[in-house]
Amino acid sequence: LNDKILSVTKNIYYVIYYLIGGFYMKRKFSIILTLIFSMFLLVGCSSEKTPEDVVKNHFNDISSELSNDTTKQMLSSLVSSNNNNVNEDLANALVNALSKIEATTTGEEVNGDTAKVNVSIKGVNLQTVISSYVTRCMAETSSIQDASEDEVKKFAQNLLIDELNKATLEDRTGVINLTKDSDDNWVISQDDDYTTALMGVAASNYK
């Protein structure tokens, strides 16, 4: 039974961490990432934009797009259709949680073709959500001792939906790293600093 729970949990990890932080695993979920990040540009539109401008615009895009009902519906359908361990209700809960992010830039440091932008974030901490979820899964397995695999999956999904829906916002600070591309535009680096600022956890922990 615990093997069933761990299997479901692992697949849900993939969906959560690769929805936003999954660029560490470009070999997997490439369709999901391509579509999602095409909306949330990581690059400035011209060399006149400062690193702080690029980061500010990026987080504004995430907040506005994830708050849009049409975008939410598209992302939820995308996530649920690409992973059979995630139903649409769970995908909706995940997108809703991520849509609550608020970010403020608090300064930049430029060093040639690299830059760092300091950010203050208010948002859901997905590491806290997942930790609470796993604890509940392990504590409540006795209630599904004779359950089928589909029933175990539904049990796990409902627990995570509940944890996402009741997640509170936390304040945190972070650093966003940028580099210049061949067109002299500032590009946000897809690294642990980014995912930690965005969702409270380093993506490389789950690659």
Side-chain angles (χ1 to χ4, degrees):
L1 179 60
N2 284 344
D3 287 343
K4 291 181 182 178
I5 291 290
L6 291 173
S7 176
V8 172
T9 299
K10 182 179 179 180
N11 280 281
I12 291 174
Y13 277 166
Y14 287 161
V15 174
I16 290 177
Y17 289 104
Y18 302 146
L19 176 64
I20 296 296
F23 24 61
Y24 269 102
M25 295 291 285
K26 289 182 179 177
R27 298 183 304 280
K28 299 181 179 179
F29 305 103
S30 57
I31 296 175
I32 292 177
L33 292 172
T34 299
L35 290 176
I36 289 174
F37 285 101
S38 67
M39 291 187 293
F40 308 141
L41 295 179
L42 295 169
V43 59
C45 295
S46 76
S47 58
E48 295 178 0
K49 284 186 177 294
T50 67
E52 192 165 4
D53 289 335
V54 173
V55 172
K56 188 179 301 182
N57 290 342
H58 176 66
F59 279 100
N60 285 342
D61 287 344
I62 290 178
S63 297
S64 61
E65 288 296 336
L66 286 183
S67 297
N68 180 286
D69 288 340
T70 301
T71 303
K72 282 185 178 181
Q73 183 177 5
M74 188 206 69
L75 291 181
S76 296
S77 298
L78 177 65
V79 172
S80 60
S81 65
N82 278 273
N83 190 298
N84 60 12
N85 282 308
V86 178
N87 61 24
E88 193 159 347
D89 288 339
L90 175 52
N92 281 332
L94 174 59
V95 174
N96 282 331
L98 294 173
S99 72
K100 299 175 182 177
I101 190 169
E102 299 175 12
T104 304
T105 58
T106 58
E108 68 179 25
E109 178 184 335
V110 179
N111 184 13
D113 289 342
T114 65
K116 296 180 181 293
V117 175
N118 297 317
V119 292
S120 294
I121 302 287
K122 180 184 288 290
V124 170
N125 186 321
L126 290 185
Q127 181 62 68
T128 301
V129 170
I130 292 300
S131 296
S132 297
Y133 159 69
V134 172
T135 298
R136 287 184 62 186
C137 275
M138 298 304 105
E140 300 180 27
T141 52
S142 60
S143 66
I144 52 169
Q145 286 182 354
D146 300 319
S148 67
E149 186 172 349
D150 284 343
E151 289 170 333
V152 171
K153 185 184 297 185
K154 183 66 174 177
F155 163 81
Q157 289 174 339
N158 286 341
L159 284 187
L160 185 51
I161 289 170
D162 185 52
E163 290 298 324
L164 285 166
N165 286 340
K166 71 181 185 183
T168 59
L169 303 183
E170 70 163 22
D171 293 311
R172 57 181 177 268
T173 59
V175 174
I176 305 299
N177 302 302
L178 301 93
T179 58
K180 278 192 174 182
D181 65 12
S182 58
D183 294 321
D184 211 32
N185 295 319
W186 287 107
V187 182
I188 294 175
S189 299
Q190 303 172 6
D191 57 16
D192 277 349
D193 284 338
Y194 174 77
T195 60
T196 300
L198 190 66
M199 59 188 181
V201 67
S204 64
N205 291 345
Y206 296 89
K207 66 179 180 178

